[in-house]
Amino acid sequence: MKKNLNPIYIIAFVAAMMAGCADDVLDVKNLSVYNPDDVWNDPTLSNAYLVDLYASTFTGWPVNNGDNADESVGIIGQGLVQTTNNSFKHWPYTNIRRINVLLNDIDEGTLPEATKTAIKAQAHFMRAFHYFKAVVHHGGVPIIKVPQLLTDDLMVPRSSTLACFEFILEDLEQALSGLPDKFVGGDFGRVDKGAAMAFKGRVLLYMASPQFNPSNPYDNSYWQSSYQANLEARNFLESQGYGLMENYSDIWRESANKEVVLATVYRNPVRVNGRQEHCVRPISQSRDCTGSDQPIWKLVETFPMKDGHMPGESPNYTYDLQRFWENRDPRFYDVIVYNGALYELGGQAGRRQYTDTQVGGIADGFGANATFNRSGFYTKKGIQEELPIEQAQLNDVDWVEIRFAEVLFNLAESANEIGNNGEAFEILKLIRERAGIEAGADSNYGLKAGMTRDELREAIYTEKFIEFAFEGKRFWDLRRARKLHTEIHGARKYGLLAKLKDGLDPLSGGFMPEDFDYEITELFNTGQREMFTPEEYYFFPIHRDEIEKNPNLEQNIGWDEGGFNPVID
């Protein structure tokens, strides 16, 4: 992967470190060393402060997030989510306080007004980003707009979920008023107007969703707002040169490409291993770690055939489990590594990946008695295949927090809910056209013509499942749609067992995928075998410690006898 860009926030951070002041200036939790006269009068220090906010706001690849849904190996077991542990909690008030410090103090400094405006706009976006994640996890949370001294009692009650959404949108409007249209070159990776507009569309999509409107999931007025915001985001982004990449796989091979709206930038040797490639690779090509982001059979079988029809339903291509890899959606080969597939790790031309125990070995194989850790598949997404084993932890593929395709999906979903099903249908066609799926005689790319609103909604969710595999979307989409308790709760997970055909010598080598027999095999055949995602998981609890520290906080309904109702309607 070639990267010619020098993200300014990395440069500023390194410069501050070299100056010997970063440890003092950036530790805003220690008020004895935070000096606003130093920070907000010095361009380097103010930029370093902002850099540190970026680092604590935007994280890397969501590795193993698919374990929580029907995407990868892993099970949400009964008892995983509790009020006394940190599972599925987001309480970002340390970061919010630091953002509030910036917004409160910066105008007292001598920085140029244009610099102040740009910094404040980015800070408003990051505060909105933190509050949004908190609301998605817990519903309404305390709204704090000013920095509170650490000696103060933070006895702020929870605001309603609706009030929190309104506050998030206010912050985004503040951001939009001060952001440039587009950051490029050395500023790539900063939040600009396009990113803020796209994120606003995401926020309003959630605000309209069944998660927050269970009594009126698809006919509430928020869908119109979501549609308008996502339409404006699409139009603006296109005016700035954004769009779908011609090749799906190039999204992660070319930094700062036209599909990337907002990214966390990685660059060897300054910042590496956001993808945790050393754990996503098979152990034979890694270093002391493996097993992350393993596709399960549910994801594998969801990819359509290359004419867009589901396996077994295609009028053009026959489907056989024993040759499941043939004639599939081109994205299949960019995402899924199956037994016998070319996987040229370490730059080894012609290398094939095996997952059976005879040829692949116990380390990389799906053992016949496996109880947990082998699905029979790996993923290529975000992997730098050219890295040798000893450099597996030097992966510097950018994490794309928002890409143009998400804006299209958000627009399609909103359009469908307000009755613009034709517009939604055309967006799905665009996605499939870019994927390389055959148009067919009707130019519908395998999509059913004349779908109902409900059918099109499901088609959108399924297409997004494929398009965003291992990008951290699936679990949150199912939760947003209130599908956890109907599609995930009680579900079991399956992989594919490969076994070399009788009569073939495992030592002879050179085997192709068709030299094996395949059997769908249940994972987790001991202990808990079923996912546990009841209806209470649509809003996760606030940690009991936070409730005990602040008697004005009320726990969510369904947790510790809480009485707070986190829905909007």
Side-chain angles (χ1 to χ4, degrees):
M1 176 181 298
K2 185 177 181 181
K3 291 189 178 183
N4 297 317
L5 301 173
N6 295 307
I8 194 168
Y9 60 85
I10 292 179
I11 292 174
F13 182 75
V14 173
M17 291 292 288
M18 291 177 66
C21 59
D23 289 341
D24 290 338
V25 173
L26 300 183
D27 185 11
V28 297
K29 290 181 287 187
N30 185 346
L31 295 180
S32 66
V33 297
Y34 166 69
N35 187 339
D37 291 336
D38 290 336
V39 176
W40 309 120
N41 294 316
D42 186 305
T44 299
L45 297 184
S46 61
N47 193 61
Y49 189 106
L50 185 65
V51 167
D52 198 58
L53 290 180
Y54 267 90
S56 60
T57 299
F58 303 110
T59 55
W61 285 75
V63 178
N64 290 333
N65 185 273
D67 293 2
N68 301 328
D70 48 3
E71 187 173 59
S72 59
V73 170
I75 282 182
I76 295 180
Q78 187 168 1
L80 176 64
V81 182
Q82 299 181 25
T83 60
T84 55
N85 65 20
N86 292 322
S87 296
F88 295 100
K89 310 291 192 301
H90 189 73
W91 203 249
Y93 285 96
T94 297
N95 284 317
I96 287 171
R97 181 185 172 278
R98 295 168 67 214
I99 292 168
N100 287 338
V101 165
L102 182 157
L103 294 172
N104 185 73
D105 293 353
I106 191 171
D107 283 333
E108 301 302 316
T110 59
L111 297 173
E113 286 303 313
T115 301
K116 291 180 183 178
T117 297
I119 290 176
K120 287 191 293 184
Q122 293 168 76
H124 277 291
F125 180 95
M126 286 187 273
R127 189 167 69 177
F129 193 88
H130 281 297
Y131 267 103
F132 174 70
K133 288 183 68 174
V135 170
V136 168
H137 276 75
H138 307 294
V141 293
I143 295 176
I144 301 176
K145 301 180 181 181
V146 296
Q148 306 248 347
L149 293 176
L150 297 182
T151 55
D152 285 353
D153 289 332
L154 302 179
M155 302 303 179
V156 182
R158 297 176 72 173
S159 295
S160 71
T161 298
L162 179 59
C164 286
F165 270 116
E166 291 171 343
F167 176 59
I168 291 164
L169 293 170
E170 289 173 7
D171 255 348
L172 289 177
E173 291 305 318
Q174 290 276 358
L176 285 166
S177 69
L179 290 170
D181 288 349
K182 188 175 185 179
F183 277 124
V184 296
D187 286 325
F188 171 69
R190 289 184 184 268
V191 175
D192 54 26
K193 187 174 182 180
M197 293 182 74
F199 185 68
K200 179 181 177 182
R202 182 193 290 180
V203 169
L204 284 164
L205 182 79
Y206 270 79
M207 188 175 180
S209 71
Q211 178 187 358
F212 293 98
N213 302 275
S215 65
N216 188 17
Y218 299 117
D219 294 312
N220 63 72
S221 62
Y222 304 121
W223 283 111
Q224 182 65 47
S225 299
S226 176
Y227 171 78
Q228 190 62 38
N230 282 292
L231 179 62
E232 290 174 0
R234 176 189 181 173
N235 291 340
F236 178 80
L237 289 167
E238 288 180 336
S239 77
Q240 298 298 310
Y242 291 95
L244 295 175
M245 287 290 284
E246 287 74 16
N247 297 312
Y248 179 74
S249 60
D250 287 344
I251 299 168
W252 301 276
R253 292 175 180 168
E254 298 180 15
S255 180
N257 64 71
K258 68 178 182 178
E259 191 157 339
V260 177
V261 178
L262 179 62
T264 298
V265 178
Y266 287 86
R267 193 176 198 196
N268 184 15
V270 176
R271 190 178 192 185
V272 296
N273 206 31
R275 184 66 181 100
Q276 297 183 34
E277 178 169 331
H278 68 299
C279 291
V280 178
R281 286 184 174 207
I283 193 66
S284 64
Q285 293 294 316
S286 185
R287 303 188 66 181
D288 305 321
C289 185
T290 193
S292 296
D293 281 355
Q294 290 184 69
I296 62 172
W297 182 246
K298 172 65 180 295
L299 173 61
V300 173
E301 69 176 346
T302 301
F303 283 87
M305 308 300 285
K306 66 180 182 180
D307 62 358
H309 294 277
M310 293 304 296
E313 299 176 6
S314 169
N316 301 302
Y317 302 102
T318 59
Y319 175 76
D320 182 350
L321 173 64
Q322 300 305 319
R323 303 181 78 92
F324 67 91
W325 62 90
E326 293 183 337
N327 300 314
R328 303 298 290 270
D329 175 343
R331 290 171 296 186
F332 178 93
Y333 307 102
D334 290 325
V335 175
I336 305 296
V337 179
Y338 52 92
N339 180 66
L342 280 173
Y343 195 23
E344 298 176 327
L345 291 171
Q348 301 175 57
R351 179 188 179 275
R352 291 186 178 274
Q353 179 65 51
Y354 299 103
T355 63
D356 79 310
T357 54
Q358 288 181 287
V359 181
I362 296 297
D364 285 354
F366 180 103
N369 297 315
T371 60
F372 170 78
N373 60 349
R374 295 293 181 267
S375 71
F377 300 99
Y378 297 95
T379 184
K380 288 183 179 179
K381 184 174 279 190
I383 300 299
Q384 290 179 289
E385 297 179 41
E386 70 276 11
L387 293 177
I389 295 173
E390 58 271 17
Q391 296 181 14
Q393 289 176 285
L394 299 182
N395 176 300
D396 63 356
V397 177
D398 294 346
W399 161 241
V400 183
E401 174 63 39
I402 305 175
R403 60 183 173 99
F404 185 76
E406 181 193 342
V407 178
L408 292 182
F409 272 98
N410 293 348
L411 178 58
E413 188 173 342
S414 303
N416 183 56
E417 301 307 347
I418 66 170
N420 295 358
N421 58 346
E423 184 176 2
F425 190 79
E426 290 301 315
I427 290 173
L428 285 186
K429 287 168 61 176
L430 283 177
I431 296 293
R432 288 195 160 199
E433 180 183 20
R434 189 276 293 277
I437 290 175
E438 296 169 350
D442 58 3
S443 297
N444 284 339
Y445 297 89
L447 295 166
K448 176 185 172 183
M451 281 188 278
T452 66
R453 182 192 192 191
D454 292 346
E455 289 173 328
L456 190 50
R457 181 186 305 128
E458 294 307 311
I460 291 169
Y461 277 113
T462 300
E463 195 70 28
K464 193 175 181 183
F465 183 25
I466 297 165
E467 174 76 17
F468 284 90
F470 302 107
E471 295 181 58
K473 300 291 188 190
R474 179 63 172 175
F475 172 75
W476 303 102
D477 280 344
L478 290 173
R479 185 169 175 263
R480 175 172 59 82
R482 286 189 172 260
K483 291 175 176 287
L484 287 184
H485 72 289
T486 58
E487 294 193 15
I488 301 299
H489 186 65
R492 299 187 178 192
K493 294 192 173 183
Y494 297 84
L496 196 68
L497 177 64
K499 182 179 180 182
L500 191 65
K501 289 184 175 179
D502 292 342
L504 295 178
D505 180 2
L507 300 179
S508 62
F511 298 111
M512 302 297 287
E514 57 267 27
D515 292 324
F516 298 80
D517 293 318
Y518 298 95
E519 178 185 353
I520 299 171
T521 306
E522 185 178 354
L523 305 171
F524 306 94
N525 56 24
T526 62
Q528 183 163 344
R529 304 166 70 173
E530 298 179 343
M531 293 282 281
F532 186 80
T533 54
E535 293 189 62
E536 289 81 7
Y537 282 18
Y538 292 123
F539 291 99
F540 296 123
I542 293 172
H543 200 292
R544 188 181 296 171
D545 287 352
E546 300 297 335
I547 301 290
E548 292 176 350
K549 285 188 294 186
N550 180 359
N552 290 326
L553 285 180
E554 190 174 10
Q555 184 61 273
N556 281 335
I557 294 172
W559 300 95
D560 284 354
E561 300 181 352
F564 186 88
N565 187 351
V567 303
I568 293 177
D569 63 6

